[in-house]
Amino acid sequence: MWYSQLWILLLSIMLLSSSGYIVAGRVKEEGYSVKTSIFFSPPIYLKHGSVQDKYYYDIPFPRGHIAIKSFNGEVVDENGNSIPLHETYLHHWVVARYYIQNEAKDGDLEKFIYARNSGPCRNLGQYFGLGSETRKTNTWVPDPYGIVIGNPKEIPEGYEEKWLLNVHAIDTRNVEDRLGCTECKCSLYNVTSDQYGRPLANGYVGGLHCCYDETQCRVKEGFNGGVRKLYLKYNVQWVEWNPTILPVKIFILDVTDTGDYPSGSSAMNAPFSCKVEYSVPSCDSSGEANRECVDIRKTKVVLPHGGDIIYGVAHQHTGGVGSALYGEDGQLLCSSYPFYGKGEEAGDEAGYIVGMSTCYPKPGSLNIKDGELLTLISNYSSLRMHTGVMGLFYLLLVEPQPELNPLFSLQEATVPYLVEHWWVLLLAGGIMAVVAAASYRRRNETDSYQMVFN
């Protein structure tokens, strides 16, 4: 009888202490070393008003089965000095993952597999990417989550995992219209066809089709500055993979998404449902007088597979005033607002978006259901016309985690817990000794009492 009581007591002690271990122990195990790797792109050569929009394959990147915790980039010169946006505008940079057959060359598309993110936009498959806001936008993936890469089970046999980088930079030194150049107004670039030689669509006045690689924005008369050599410096924080890390999935949503997702053989040649960019018309005088000059763009998006929201952030261009994502029931899931600079130095450039606010919901508090119809809204000031703006939303989701069963958790945690927390064994041993001694004494006393009366 006494040992069943002892076992109950011991079990209670371990349940109380191990329940803290399961939570705190995971945090302690997550004290794994966060490593930081800093890399530089190939050189980017820019003169006044020029544009570079190049793709670089097989870039330097952390290798192995790891979890990415943060990724940021910025434009720097040969000495590592940060370049302000009013000199070189970082329209965007994106980093994408791909698999390529061993010994194959990067240009061999037959041996190339694009490893897209989990979002619905076929033409927005990157894993990472920002623009002018890159210096002051938090990209940290909270513990115990991570963007897991390099998993041997995911890499096709005979292939290896690699990464590509696209950098779109516009030199705005001594240009006639700095904002017009960054918004890619076609009249300033003197182009009538896109990068593939196709005539521009009727009514297309500005956007990516006018500021492609090697184009030139109009500069002030008499200014033909020399070529400048710059780099995209990118900073990757990561940890070695371990079983306590919960992998997140990346979703990139676009406010221009039409929701038309073709399938089968027709998907390859079908127009992209996500148009990526759009124009904001200027409001009329009545709207300006009533301070109602805000262009509101919205779309409906369905995610076939949802999950718990871990992180969210929007991407907007100059003129943006915020973006929000709502659930099917109208609940606000995440909102993200721009920070505008107020000075001249890099990271605080007046008139430019230098950062975006982010969402970090309490884990498990906000969930997107499988097949849920979401509403994405992107707001821009329309006091003046804007061209080539974007309304993207970047989400990290994780599979909902089941509630831990204390007994099951105890079974998994008991051995390592007791090894580390020797005092529990010592306490249990002391209690066992006291109870055993007391039981022995009681039994002797009982035996003596019975002998007297027999």
Side-chain angles (χ1 to χ4, degrees):
M1 180 71 177
W2 66 271
Y3 13 155
S4 63
Q5 295 174 339
L6 177 62
W7 170 244
I8 292 172
L9 178 61
L10 180 60
L11 182 62
S12 300
I13 294 172
M14 295 181 65
L15 279 173
L16 288 173
S17 55
S18 66
S19 61
Y21 169 76
I22 293 160
V23 177
R26 168 171 275 178
V27 172
K28 184 165 185 178
E29 286 180 25
E30 286 166 6
Y32 39 67
S33 174
V34 176
K35 299 174 178 146
T36 299
S37 300
I38 298 176
F39 303 104
F40 294 85
S41 72
I44 302 167
Y45 296 98
L46 290 168
K47 63 180 182 178
H48 292 191
S50 66
V51 178
Q52 289 287 299
D53 185 13
K54 288 184 166 50
Y55 290 80
Y56 308 102
Y57 289 84
D58 194 15
I59 61 170
F61 206 82
R63 305 293 180 180
H65 194 183
I66 62 175
I68 304 297
K69 300 295 291 182
S70 178
F71 197 121
N72 285 98
E74 66 164 337
V75 174
V76 299
D77 64 16
E78 294 180 87
N79 298 315
N81 300 312
S82 300
I83 300 299
L85 294 167
H86 52 75
E87 293 183 11
T88 298
Y89 181 70
L90 185 55
H91 186 282
H92 69 260
W93 60 265
V94 299
V95 174
R97 183 167 69 144
Y98 67 97
Y99 306 125
I100 191 166
Q101 274 189 9
N102 298 332
E103 310 302 327
K105 295 182 179 180
D106 284 311
D108 192 346
L109 296 181
E110 292 184 356
K111 300 177 181 179
F112 179 100
I113 300 174
Y114 191 23
R116 299 179 60 262
N117 61 58
S118 301
C121 299
R122 292 183 296 130
N123 52 334
L124 293 171
Q126 67 265 23
Y127 264 51
F128 311 99
L130 290 172
S132 68
E133 76 275 23
T134 184
R135 289 187 178 106
K136 291 188 175 179
T137 299
N138 191 356
T139 63
W140 179 258
V141 182
D143 294 335
Y145 310 101
I147 299 172
V148 178
I149 64 172
N151 185 348
K153 296 179 180 179
E154 295 179 355
I155 302 174
E157 186 176 354
Y159 284 74
E160 57 183 319
E161 179 183 87
K162 293 188 177 183
W163 296 84
L164 69 86
L165 168 68
N166 169 225
V167 182
H168 189 183
I170 303 172
D171 192 312
T172 58
R173 293 173 296 164
N174 295 311
V175 295
E176 284 187 3
D177 180 355
R178 185 171 285 155
L179 180 60
C181 289
T182 61
E183 292 190 339
C184 302
K185 288 192 173 178
C186 302
S187 59
L188 292 171
Y189 285 88
N190 194 29
V191 297
T192 57
S193 59
D194 66 14
Q195 62 268 46
Y196 304 108
R198 300 172 300 197
L200 297 175
N202 290 334
Y204 188 85
V205 295
L208 290 169
H209 295 309
C210 290
C211 60
Y212 46 89
D213 190 41
E214 302 293 345
T215 52
Q216 174 73 41
C217 197
R218 191 183 305 143
V219 298
K220 299 173 183 176
E221 188 175 353
F223 287 96
N224 290 301
V227 175
R228 194 183 206 182
K229 182 160 67 170
L230 305 174
Y231 302 85
L232 182 82
K233 173 185 174 182
Y234 54 104
N235 183 316
V236 187
Q237 290 186 288
W238 55 279
V239 297
E240 297 288 350
W241 183 86
N242 72 71
T244 67
I245 295 172
L246 300 179
V248 297
K249 292 185 178 180
I250 301 169
F251 291 81
I252 299 178
L253 312 181
D254 182 7
V255 78
T256 68
D257 191 350
T258 63
D260 181 19
Y261 308 131
S263 59
S265 59
S266 62
M268 287 297 293
N269 299 318
F272 293 125
S273 64
C274 298
K275 307 305 178 186
V276 182
E277 61 176 5
Y278 63 101
S279 292
V280 174
S282 61
C283 63
D284 56 26
S285 56
S286 62
E288 185 173 351
N290 295 324
R291 297 183 179 181
E292 296 176 350
C293 288
V294 177
D295 180 85
I296 302 174
R297 185 68 61 99
K298 66 173 61 177
T299 192
K300 301 287 187 180
V301 181
V302 175
L303 298 187
H305 303 288
D308 291 340
I309 299 176
I310 301 303
Y311 170 87
V313 67
H315 169 67
Q316 292 188 313
H317 290 187
T318 302
V321 293
S323 183
L325 183 67
Y326 293 86
E328 192 166 347
D329 59 358
Q331 180 185 15
L332 176 64
L333 299 176
C334 178
S335 58
S336 180
Y337 298 94
F339 309 130
Y340 282 87
K342 299 178 181 178
E344 290 290 323
E345 66 275 11
D348 190 34
E349 300 92 332
Y352 294 89
I353 293 179
V354 297
M356 295 292 296
S357 68
T358 53
C359 297
Y360 284 97
K362 180 181 177 182
S365 63
L366 289 176
N367 177 269
I368 297 175
K369 301 180 181 65
D370 292 352
E372 184 171 354
L373 183 64
L374 308 176
T375 299
L376 175 61
I377 297 177
S378 178
N379 297 331
Y380 272 82
S381 167
S382 57
L383 284 171
R384 58 162 292 169
M385 181 181 184
H386 295 281
T387 60
V389 305
M390 296 185 181
L392 308 182
F393 215 96
Y394 182 94
L395 284 175
L396 297 181
L397 304 182
V398 68
E399 293 288 340
Q401 299 301 302
E403 292 290 333
L404 288 176
N405 183 314
L407 289 175
F408 177 76
S409 303
L410 174 66
Q411 183 180 359
E412 290 189 316
T414 299
V415 174
Y417 174 77
L418 292 178
V419 169
E420 184 175 355
H421 296 77
W422 52 268
W423 59 268
V424 174
L425 284 174
L426 186 61
L427 177 61
I431 293 173
M432 183 180 295
V434 170
V435 174
S439 176
Y440 178 78
R441 181 182 302 170
R442 180 179 178 185
R443 185 175 60 195
N444 285 345
E445 291 175 352
T446 302
D447 290 345
S448 301
Y449 179 79
Q450 291 173 345
M451 288 176 61
V452 171
F453 286 92
N454 277 343

